[in-house]
């Protein structure tokens, strides 16, 4: 019986792949979900489900349907990363969708985990600082940049540009 479910799941995944190629992302998303219900051990498929939902998601669109696409993408990427934690590209997609969907604290926490795993590499620290600035946490970003004793003027420039942009778009900020 288990083999029958795995076979049926493979059919769903194959169908989903064809939908994805045809840019029928919603149909692809549903077929991936159906297949994963039949075969939850196919952990590599969570990535494809996440990409299907991400293709449908539009940052800034506050509709319930769009929020659901974002949630499906986030959960799918998290489940994928629980089996494939070294996939940095999927981590970046997850961090990006978290930032774009108003879940900046979660994204910053992930970026900080990356920075903690690479303590001597300033690009990871700079990613945390830039995300804080983008999220409007300018004081935290500036304090973190100062405490990092970075010699990288680019990060201070990025904080300044972000602060200017926020004040320009929202006078009298």
């Amino acid at each position: 019986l288990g083999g029958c479910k795995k076979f049926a799941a493979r059919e769903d995944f194959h169908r989903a792949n064809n939908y994805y190629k045809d840019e029928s992302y919603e149909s692809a998303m549903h077929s991936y979900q159906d297949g994963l219900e039949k075969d939850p051990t196919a952990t590599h498929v969570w990535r494809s489900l996440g990409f299907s939902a991400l293709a449908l998601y539009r940052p800034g669109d506050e509709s319930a349907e769009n929020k659901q696409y974002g949630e499906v993408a986030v959960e799918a990427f998290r489940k994928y990363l629980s089996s494939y934690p070294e996939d940095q590209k999927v981590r970046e997609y997850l961090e990006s969708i978290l930032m774009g969907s108003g879940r900046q604290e979660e994204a910053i926490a992930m970026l900080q985990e990356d920075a903690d795993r690479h303590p001597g590499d300033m690009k990871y620290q700079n990613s945390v600082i830039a995300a804080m600035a983008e999220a409007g946490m300018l004081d935290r970003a500036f304090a973190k940049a100062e405490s990092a004793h970075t010699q990288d003027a680019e990060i201070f420039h990025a904080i300044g540009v972000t602060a200017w942009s926020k004040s320009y778009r929202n006078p009298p900020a």
Side-chain angles (χ1 to χ4, degrees):
L1 188 61
C4 290
K5 282 190 173 190
K6 285 185 185 259
F7 182 77
R10 272 195 230 126
E11 287 178 330
D12 287 331
F13 300 149
H14 179 71
R15 188 177 314 107
N17 289 339
N18 287 332
Y19 284 138
Y20 192 90
K21 285 179 201 169
D22 292 339
E23 297 181 9
S24 299
Y25 301 118
E26 188 154 0
S27 296
M29 183 179 74
H30 292 300
S31 290
Y32 287 128
Q33 288 171 323
D34 290 345
L36 284 163
E37 281 181 29
K38 293 171 188 158
D39 183 8
T41 66
T43 56
H44 62 284
V45 177
W46 287 110
R47 180 178 184 266
S48 298
L49 173 59
F51 283 135
S52 296
L54 184 61
L56 295 165
Y57 177 73
R58 300 290 172 255
D61 179 348
E62 293 296 318
S63 70
E65 180 181 49
N66 191 58
K67 286 181 179 182
Q68 183 60 32
Y69 294 144
E71 190 58 37
V72 168
V74 165
E75 291 309 310
F77 287 149
R78 282 192 172 151
K79 288 180 179 180
Y80 173 79
L81 287 169
S82 71
S83 295
Y84 306 95
E86 298 305 314
D87 190 329
Q88 192 58 36
K89 204 62 163 160
V90 170
R91 281 185 70 81
E92 290 170 11
Y93 280 115
L94 177 55
E95 292 160 357
S96 177
I97 198 167
L98 288 170
M99 287 295 290
S101 64
R103 297 163 71 172
Q104 291 94 344
E105 287 288 348
E106 291 176 64
I108 291 167
M110 284 186 70
L111 290 164
Q112 187 60 56
E113 287 172 14
D114 291 342
D116 292 345
R117 279 196 297 274
H118 303 92
D121 193 337
M122 281 310 295
K123 91 175 178 184
Y124 292 98
Q125 289 295 332
N126 288 350
S127 292
V128 175
I129 295 165
M132 286 175 170
E134 184 181 326
M137 304 170 188
L138 297 170
D139 290 338
R140 280 178 60 190
F142 192 77
K144 186 155 187 72
E146 283 187 317
S147 70
H149 304 292
T150 182
Q151 301 300 314
D152 187 357
E154 296 269 331
I155 197 62
F156 289 104
H157 178 263
I159 294 169
V161 168
T162 303
W164 177 86
S165 177
K166 288 187 180 300
S167 67
Y168 178 78
R169 291 188 180 138
N170 190 23

